[in-house]
Amino acid sequence: DSVFQQGGMPLLGTITPTCCNHQNMLPESAVRFYNDQLRMIAANDAIPLIDFYAAFAGGPEAYYDSTLGLIHVPGGLHPTPAGYDLMAATAQKIF
């Protein structure tokens, strides 16, 4: 709301999938719930949404395949350079 009050346009981005059973890995159900909430906020408030999860998994309901090479294995949390390139390309589509 404060961004709107200042005349700006906020952007929202879904969180990327996690993989590889790393120590602080969120359960897939938590990732989906969080992203669904972000999608709902974006829709309700007409905020552009960058769907990073869908870019990594092939859609908002698809599961991430860790063999794609987009997330560092075995860490399972941060994108690889290819993953960051995909994020940049995905974000660029909304501009």
Side-chain angles (χ1 to χ4, degrees):
D1 290 337
S2 64
V3 173
F4 284 125
Q5 290 171 357
Q6 297 298 317
M9 173 56 74
L11 299 173
L12 289 176
T14 58
I15 60 173
T16 60
T18 57
C19 73
C20 317
N21 296 318
H22 62 82
Q23 181 178 0
N24 297 314
M25 183 174 170
L26 288 173
E28 181 66 22
S29 60
V31 172
R32 287 178 182 275
F33 176 79
Y34 185 79
N35 284 339
D36 286 345
Q37 297 303 304
L38 288 170
R39 288 183 188 99
M40 191 168 34
I41 291 167
N44 288 342
D45 294 333
I47 297 171
L49 177 79
I50 306 167
D51 200 341
F52 295 121
Y53 185 96
F56 275 63
E61 299 303 321
Y63 285 92
Y64 178 69
D65 179 354
S66 63
T67 65
L68 295 174
L70 299 174
I71 297 177
H72 282 291
V73 176
L77 182 61
H78 297 287
T80 62
Y84 281 119
D85 287 346
L86 178 59
M87 291 177 79
T90 301
Q92 188 176 23
K93 291 177 185 176
I94 69 162
F95 295 104

